[in-house]
Amino acid sequence: MQNTELIILGTGNATVTRCYNTCFALKQNNDFLLVDAGGGNGILAQLEKANIPYSAIHEIFVTHAHTDHILGIIWMIRIIAQQMNKGKYQGRLKIYGHDKVIKVLNTICELILPPKITAHISRDIQLCEVHHGETFTAIGMDFQCFDIGSTKEKQYGFRTALPNGKSLVCLGDEPYNEANRPFVADADWMLCEAFCLYEDRETFKPYEKHHSTALDAGKIAQQLNIKNLLLYHTEDKTLATRKEKYTAEAQENFSGNIFVPEDMEVITL
């Protein structure tokens, strides 16, 4: 059994232009779970750069229906349906998300994709609704979903046990909600948004946008006994210093390991 790899396809927030919107893939053996897909067909370029073939993606998880997370999924549906039509894709594609995610995907696909593509939906491409506390299985692992408690947009995160016995939590792209402590506490890895540095809060206004800072993420990670903290969904105006400065700010309150990845970075979990 190979170690699970976390492939960071994008690290930026909704309006970035110097990196891609936040999304990633988990690789186990030669299978991939895609988590979100950014805001457009840029996901196709990111997958190509990461050497991830469409034929190896049979599960996708969508956290929520914001444009910078869900519109890339439409492109994944289109390209994989095209591959199916050409006989280049074996098996089914399952896309997991809560009720609004499924409704949005169904609606957009019906409105803009041709019948030769939509004919695969509910047949070879299955939109699978999941609920708070439920578990779905992908790449040989079980993922327990939880509602992050957003007041802005319904959003799910997840927790999973890796084959090596360690745990991974994805918090989505909004601040931690204490109601989710049972799903998050004591995780070996936690993926957490950090919209900007606390020192830059007047410039980027994270709190007005329902986001947090690297300083906030470090505090939460320490309180939850997290071992490894990964920060993403950031602004893109400070990319040259982002890794160094975000790490230093999170370290003010967090004693574990901190990762501030660039697009296309691969981390062994």
Side-chain angles (χ1 to χ4, degrees), residues 11-22 233-237 242:
T11 57
N13 64 37
T15 60
V16 294
T17 58
R18 302 172 187 176
C19 57
Y20 192 59
N21 306 128
T22 293
H233 201 267
T234 77
E235 46 77 26
D236 66 340
K237 303 301 185 291
R242 181 176 66 177

Side-chain angles (χ1 to χ4, degrees), residues 179-204:
N180 288 316
R181 179 175 286 270
F183 298 100
V184 181
D186 303 314
D188 293 288
W189 292 88
M190 184 172 80
L191 282 64
C192 181
E193 60 93 19
F195 197 79
C196 65
L197 296 171
Y198 183 77
E199 66 181 50
D200 292 335
R201 64 193 182 282
E202 294 303 320
T203 300
F204 297 109

Side-chain angles (χ1 to χ4, degrees), residues 54-75:
Y54 306 130
S55 59
I57 301 173
H58 288 89
E59 294 105 6
I60 298 175
F61 178 74
V62 188
T63 59
H64 62 299
H66 277 170
T67 55
D68 56 317
H69 295 263
I70 201 169
L71 291 185
I73 304 297
I74 305 300
W75 285 93

Side-chain angles (χ1 to χ4, degrees), residues 12-186:
N13 64 37
T15 60
V16 294
T17 58
R18 302 172 187 176
C19 57
Y20 192 59
N21 306 128
T22 293
C23 55
F24 61 90
L26 289 170
K27 179 184 180 183
Q28 186 60 47
N29 298 319
N30 292 314
D31 298 318
F32 297 84
L33 167 69
L34 180 63
V35 179
D36 292 339
N41 74 344
I43 185 60
L44 308 183
Q46 299 305 91
L47 291 173
E48 183 176 302
K49 292 173 188 175
N51 294 314
I52 300 177
Y54 306 130
S55 59
I57 301 173
H58 288 89
E59 294 105 6
I60 298 175
F61 178 74
V62 188
T63 59
H64 62 299
H66 277 170
T67 55
D68 56 317
H69 295 263
I70 201 169
L71 291 185
I73 304 297
I74 305 300
W75 285 93
M76 292 303 300
I77 290 172
R78 174 180 174 177
I79 200 74
I80 287 178
Q82 288 176 340
Q83 296 286 301
M84 289 175 171
N85 288 337
K86 296 175 183 177
K88 296 182 178 180
Y89 186 98
Q90 301 300 315
R92 295 176 175 174
L93 172 66
K94 292 187 176 182
I95 302 175
Y96 297 93
H98 58 65
D99 55 348
K100 183 175 178 182
V101 162
I102 301 304
K103 179 180 179 180
V104 168
L105 288 175
N106 268 317
T107 300
I108 295 177
C109 288
E110 181 181 349
L111 289 173
I112 70 172
L113 295 181
K116 64 182 179 180
I117 300 297
T118 58
H120 290 279
I121 296 176
S122 299
R123 190 181 68 195
D124 308 308
I125 298 176
Q126 299 180 345
L127 305 183
C128 307
E129 183 179 338
V130 292
H131 302 88
H132 175 74
E134 288 186 349
T135 298
F136 69 91
T137 300
I139 58 173
M141 296 157 54
D142 292 330
F143 294 80
Q144 186 177 29
C145 306
F146 59 89
D147 190 326
I148 71 167
S150 171
T151 58
K152 182 173 63 172
E153 174 70 24
K154 186 175 183 179
Q155 182 171 173
Y156 277 10
F158 63 76
R159 181 176 182 130
T160 187
L162 304 171
N164 61 8
K166 295 182 179 180
S167 52
L168 169 72
V169 168
C170 170
L171 281 183
D173 74 353
E174 290 194 30
Y176 165 75
N177 187 316
E178 182 61 22
N180 288 316
R181 179 175 286 270
F183 298 100
V184 181
D186 303 314

